[in-house]
Amino acid sequence: SGGNEFTGSVRDSLANPSWVSKTDFANQGPRLDELNETYEGTLGGRILRDRLWFFTAGRWEDRQTSAQLPLTDIPYVSGREDRRWEGKLTGAITQKHSMIVSYLSSDNSRDNIITFGPVVDLRSLATREEPKTLFGANYSGVLTNNLLIEAQFSRMDHDLTRGSETRDVVEGTLLRDSATGNRMWSPSGCGAICGVKQHDNKSWQAKSSYFLSTASTGNHSLVGGIEEFHQLREDNNFQSGSDFWLHGHIIQNPNDKTQLSWGINEDDGGIEWDPVPALSQTSDFAMRSFFVNDKWELNNRWSFNVGARFDKSFGTNQAGVTTVDDSAISPRLAATFDPTGKGTHRFSATYGRYVAKVEQGPADLTAPAGRYSYYFFEYGGPEINPAGTPFNQLLPIPQVIQQVFAWFNAHGGTSMEPDDVSIPGYTTRFEKSLSSPYMDEITVGYAVTFTDRGFLRADYVDRTWDDFYAIRRTLATGKSTDPSGLTVDQGVIENSQGGLSRDYQAVQLQGSYRPWQRISVGGNYTWSKLRGNVEGESPGGATVLTENPDKPEYTGFAEFNPVGYLLPDMRHRANLWVAYDIPTSHGDFNISLLERYHSALSYSARGTIDVRRGAANGPANGVVNPGYQTVPTNVGYTFGERGGYRVDAISSTDVGLNYALPFSRYRFFIEADLINIFNQQGIEDPDLVDKTVLTRRQANCIQTGNPHRCPAFNPQPGEAPVEGVNWQKGSNFAKPTSGDAYQQPRTYRVSLGVRF
């Protein structure tokens, strides 16, 4: 915040992709040898002594990073540019009243990034522009010796562009592999040509604090107030430059796998059309909260914390329609017992309910503005680039796209009857406004301090989530007709509890000890378990709506959404460290050692099946349409247990070296980090391993020891599929798709600068 003396710092952080060792990933490309520098500086001081102070900060970063595409292993360079500036004024209006005003601007851009999904060619890389500004103001005042009041306001403006920069139907159409989900030819999304996305927010808060001391009930620190948060979004969610995706199969040159082509047939072919029917009118989802809390110290043995929040959620979607109008009460209770009254031993217990703000995705899902409609048309034209065709005889990709659209347009184009459809405001509706999901947490703990040099603490944590976002689509939820006259099945977006779960239990241990003045040691350990059938978020951070149920005649089997270990489940995590200070007449040295370990993360073997009776890929005893307008052509199925597969347990040894040289009022410093000094090579990220599962829906699913295609099966009567007969893992199942699947390899980095 600045002060009467002028102080500041200048830092230069150095990194180089060539200072990062290669992982064990096969065919990894060379590391770029490029020195990346990040300059940072701060300066603070007085404008008026004892009355008005300033603080400024800046960051200037230009970074080039080596990267490699999955599947094809094509190396490329990803660039990042960040220009960040901050200014702050702190003023003492009087001795008892103060004001702070701050402004931050960040101009961030990245080149050659993957917008969404696994991409396999350089054409699919895009530029991401992301400028942000943040304004904040805070007032605090002391009215009496016991009463303090505070008020604050903030506003963030966040613009975003990313994706394809052409609307051309050939150049801007994304190509997708139906079996693997890999993408090529054009980036996901649409960039500046489709307009800037705005992800803004604003908030304000007012609260008062009162201190009360009584002889009979002890000391009370009372806090009460109100706050309001608004999430504002103008996001026209175009899915590609042309609004089309084509589904087929990616073809790789057997002699040079960096050379790709693409083909399509009736088994794997489809045309996906994702128009945005109307532009966004800016959504506004908000939460207004009233809160009160009493931090109560009864005596030197007992203390309590008693509080509650009342949260009122409200808001309108991008079409200006109210979809959120809900309220919830969240209690917060805690007790601490000190049996000796000296702080040596402490027992604690807490209970709290934590209510989330209503998320943009579910609350906005019915908006016909800003969101895209989804139409899927099965391809019924001639096979293009069939399997076995010599690579040099394949039809070029632009001609493939032109021939697919020629067939599509000859059969009616977008006016054809779709095989699957999702239209905001028509395929989904609200029967009542959404509620805020919540999580209940209970903790019990014990802490002990020994001598004046160490402490140990142990806690048990139990968390349970509820009121999940879900879509219920049954015969009872009915049908609707869109403005073009298309009749569609309609689902209800709601909060659901039945059959859904997400539960977390953990034991947490932590401690530190300073055996000598210059040496300190510490560590922490967590045993935990996360189970359920609601992931909550996708790997990209988007909120996931659980289909509960979704046309249960087709999905009403346990393997559609089984209970098991969820993606973030990690059984063990441990960190141990030691630090050693070495003061000398030539400067101060510090050496620290950190040992990290965590057990393996989980993933599942999940594929898609066709359960329609009479379908080419469906079982003979499959489901007969009971009256839906459209029926699912593919249904998710988890083979084996949810979370039944694991990547590697990860361990790493890191070293930090620090040196500081005081000189008058200046302090020069050098800081160096050596990450994973033994270059341990574990596969850490399950999102970046191949999880391809083949069923009869894929033509290359061939029975083990049998030249015939895998037969279909019906999961409804409990018919268990057999691996090698009804399904099989892809040839690269469980193998990493890129070097980023591995833990961070041996890495060197260094910073140097001066503080004054």
Side-chain angles (χ1 to χ4, degrees):
S1 295
N4 285 332
E5 301 299 324
F6 291 96
T7 60
S9 65
V10 177
R11 173 192 294 261
D12 183 12
S13 298
L14 308 175
N16 192 319
S18 66
W19 298 351
V20 180
S21 298
K22 291 185 178 182
T23 67
D24 286 345
F25 184 67
N27 302 320
Q28 193 166 359
R31 295 286 190 187
L32 176 71
D33 187 2
E34 177 79 21
L35 185 64
N36 295 317
E37 297 188 72
T38 301
Y39 300 101
E40 297 165 287
T42 65
L43 179 64
R46 69 179 183 272
I47 298 176
L48 297 174
R49 181 178 291 273
D50 298 328
R51 296 300 296 269
L52 183 62
W53 306 272
F54 75 92
F55 175 80
T56 60
R59 175 185 177 92
W60 184 284
E61 177 184 12
D62 287 309
R63 184 178 297 272
Q64 303 290 318
T65 305
S66 300
Q68 196 164 2
L69 292 175
L71 183 66
T72 55
D73 303 331
I74 300 174
Y76 66 98
V77 175
S78 178
R80 173 173 177 158
E81 183 179 279
D82 188 11
R83 306 287 183 263
R84 193 181 310 171
W85 312 100
E86 179 184 5
K88 180 188 290 185
L89 293 175
T90 302
I93 303 171
T94 69
Q95 289 186 344
K96 294 185 176 181
H97 300 270
S98 62
M99 187 78 181
I100 299 174
V101 177
S102 65
Y103 181 80
L104 185 146
S105 174
S106 173
D107 191 358
N108 191 315
S109 66
R110 297 184 63 186
D111 296 325
N112 288 341
I113 66 163
I114 298 173
T115 51
F116 290 104
V119 304
V120 296
D121 65 341
L122 298 179
R123 287 180 55 103
S124 299
L125 301 177
T127 297
R128 178 188 179 109
E129 300 285 348
E130 195 170 5
K132 297 179 184 178
T133 61
L134 176 63
F135 170 81
N138 176 275
Y139 160 80
S140 62
V142 179
L143 300 186
T144 70
N145 290 339
N146 294 352
L147 181 62
L148 169 71
I149 60 172
E150 295 179 73
Q152 67 181 37
F153 170 82
S154 69
R155 166 85 191 207
M156 183 184 76
D157 293 319
H158 177 191
D159 295 342
L160 174 66
T161 59
R162 64 188 178 199
S164 174
E165 291 298 341
T166 176
R167 301 288 279 167
D168 181 75
V169 73
V170 173
E171 300 298 322
T173 292
L174 186 148
L175 305 180
R176 188 174 189 267
D177 190 280
S178 299
T180 64
N182 291 327
R183 307 176 186 185
M184 65 176 294
W185 190 251
S186 181
S188 299
C190 188
I193 195 172
C194 293
V196 176
K197 301 176 184 287
Q198 296 178 342
H199 296 182
D200 306 335
N201 65 58
K202 62 182 179 180
S203 66
W204 60 267
Q205 182 189 82
K207 70 175 183 178
S208 63
S209 304
Y210 184 73
F211 179 76
L212 175 66
S213 181
T214 68
S216 58
T217 63
N219 300 323
H220 298 264
S221 296
L222 300 165
V223 177
I226 179 174
E227 62 182 352
E228 187 167 306
F229 176 85
H230 288 257
Q231 180 181 215
L232 309 167
R233 183 166 295 187
E234 182 179 312
D235 189 339
N236 296 303
N237 195 12
F238 296 94
Q239 294 297 288
S240 70
S242 69
D243 293 338
F244 284 97
W245 290 24
L246 298 185
H247 298 253
H249 51 274
I250 293 174
I251 304 169
Q252 200 169 23
N253 187 342
N255 301 317
D256 182 357
K257 66 179 183 178
T258 65
Q259 296 182 10
L260 301 173
S261 189
W262 191 82
I264 189 170
N265 58 50
E266 290 188 6
D267 287 330
D268 60 26
I271 298 97
E272 178 181 334
W273 180 45
D274 302 315
V276 175
L279 298 182
S280 171
Q281 300 178 30
T282 307
S283 63
D284 183 355
F285 294 108
M287 177 176 282
R288 183 180 300 132
S289 304
F290 301 87
F291 56 91
V292 62
N293 191 81
D294 180 9
K295 186 179 180 182
W296 175 20
E297 296 177 355
L298 178 62
N299 51 45
N300 63 351
R301 294 175 183 262
W302 284 99
S303 62
F304 304 92
N305 202 86
V306 181
R309 291 176 63 94
F310 173 79
D311 296 306
K312 174 67 176 177
S313 298
F314 56 97
T316 56
N317 63 21
Q318 292 190 90
V321 178
T322 297
T323 57
V324 176
D325 185 7
D326 178 61
S327 61
I329 296 177
S330 309
R332 311 283 172 85
L333 306 171
T336 302
F337 175 60
D338 183 346
T340 65
K342 299 179 180 179
T344 305
H345 302 272
R346 284 179 175 267
F347 297 89
S348 62
T350 68
Y351 165 74
R353 171 165 290 186
Y354 300 90
V355 177
K357 65 179 176 65
V358 174
E359 288 295 330
Q360 172 85 23
D364 199 49
L365 195 59
T366 62
R371 301 193 68 92
Y372 70 94
S373 298
Y374 165 83
Y375 301 85
F376 185 84
F377 309 89
E378 287 192 352
Y379 176 72
E383 185 171 10
I384 306 175
N385 289 340
T389 304
F391 194 85
N392 60 0
Q393 297 180 21
L394 294 173
L395 199 65
I397 289 178
Q399 295 183 35
V400 176
I401 297 174
Q402 290 169 351
Q403 287 196 16
V404 172
F405 278 109
W407 174 87
F408 181 58
N409 293 329
H411 290 77
T414 57
S415 63
M416 288 174 59
E417 183 76 17
D419 294 278
D420 195 11
V421 62
S422 176
I423 307 172
Y426 295 95
T427 52
T428 51
R429 73 173 191 273
F430 293 101
E431 287 187 343
K432 59 180 181 179
S433 67
L434 278 182
S435 301
S436 301
Y438 64 87
M439 181 266 289
D440 287 331
E441 179 182 88
I442 297 173
T443 68
V444 292
Y446 167 72
V448 58
T449 59
F450 45 94
T451 68
D452 59 348
R453 297 186 176 186
F455 87 97
L456 290 172
R457 181 180 178 93
D459 292 279
Y460 171 76
V461 182
D462 185 284
R463 296 172 183 157
T464 302
W465 285 258
D466 222 327
D467 263 3
F468 304 102
Y469 299 122
I471 296 180
R472 173 170 53 90
R473 188 179 288 108
T474 67
L475 290 173
T477 58
K479 298 179 174 64
S480 67
T481 303
D482 77 351
S484 68
L486 180 66
T487 300
V488 294
D489 299 303
Q490 191 171 66
V492 174
I493 302 172
E494 60 189 7
N495 297 94
S496 180
Q497 300 175 351
L500 302 178
S501 65
R502 182 181 174 90
D503 299 290
Y504 173 84
Q505 294 85 36
V507 175
Q508 299 174 343
L509 307 175
Q510 57 181 307
S512 67
Y513 182 61
R514 183 179 288 272
W516 297 280
Q517 185 63 32
R518 297 181 182 179
I519 296 179
S520 62
V521 296
N524 54 57
Y525 166 76
T526 300
W527 173 94
S528 64
K529 183 167 63 174
L530 178 64
R531 286 180 60 85
N533 58 357
V534 178
E535 294 291 356
E537 290 185 347
S538 70
T543 304
V544 176
L545 278 76
T546 304
E547 298 167 327
N548 188 51
D550 183 30
K551 301 183 178 178
E553 295 83 1
Y554 294 88
T555 63
F557 51 89
E559 294 81 4
F560 177 69
N561 189 29
V563 172
Y565 292 111
L566 300 176
L567 291 174
D569 177 69
M570 182 184 291
R571 194 70 63 251
H572 307 281
R573 179 190 289 273
N575 299 284
L576 296 173
W577 64 86
V578 58
Y580 182 37
D581 296 315
I582 312 173
T584 73
S585 58
H586 301 290
D588 300 325
F589 294 85
N590 173 272
I591 301 174
S592 59
L593 179 71
L594 170 63
E595 182 69 24
R596 295 177 288 140
Y597 170 84
H598 71 74
S599 56
L601 292 167
S602 68
Y603 62 99
S604 305
R606 188 165 176 84
T608 58
I609 59 176
D610 192 341
V611 299
R612 301 171 297 166
R613 180 176 297 185
N617 298 316
N621 60 340
V623 180
V624 176
N625 185 1
Y628 292 108
Q629 187 68 25
T630 60
V631 296
T633 59
N634 60 84
V635 172
Y637 189 100
T638 299
F639 295 90
E641 297 183 6
R642 185 181 200 130
Y645 297 85
R646 298 269 173 172
V647 287
D648 297 330
I650 301 298
S651 59
S652 176
T653 304
D654 307 336
V655 174
L657 304 173
N658 301 280
Y659 169 72
L661 177 64
F663 181 76
S664 183
R665 61 171 297 183
Y666 300 94
R667 186 176 179 86
F668 299 92
F669 65 88
I670 299 176
E671 302 171 353
D673 294 325
L674 292 80
I675 308 299
N676 191 7
I677 60 176
F678 299 116
N679 200 28
Q680 293 170 282
Q681 296 280 307
I683 299 174
E684 184 172 22
D685 191 346
D687 291 327
L688 297 176
V689 299
D690 187 281
K691 294 182 281 291
T692 302
V693 171
L694 304 175
T695 66
R696 183 172 175 80
R697 292 195 68 253
Q698 288 80 44
N700 56 337
C701 185
I702 306 300
Q703 298 181 63
T704 302
N706 187 328
H708 299 293
R709 189 168 170 177
C710 296
F713 67 96
N714 185 0
Q716 296 287 7
E719 182 180 337
V722 177
E723 184 176 2
V725 178
N726 304 103
W727 71 283
Q728 58 184 238
K729 301 184 185 77
S731 58
N732 293 314
F733 186 88
K735 295 180 181 179
T737 58
S738 78
D740 293 334
Y742 290 84
Q743 69 185 101
Q744 183 178 358
R746 183 190 295 118
T747 302
Y748 304 94
R749 60 193 184 199
V750 64
S751 297
L752 56 119
V754 59
R755 299 184 181 94
F756 58 89

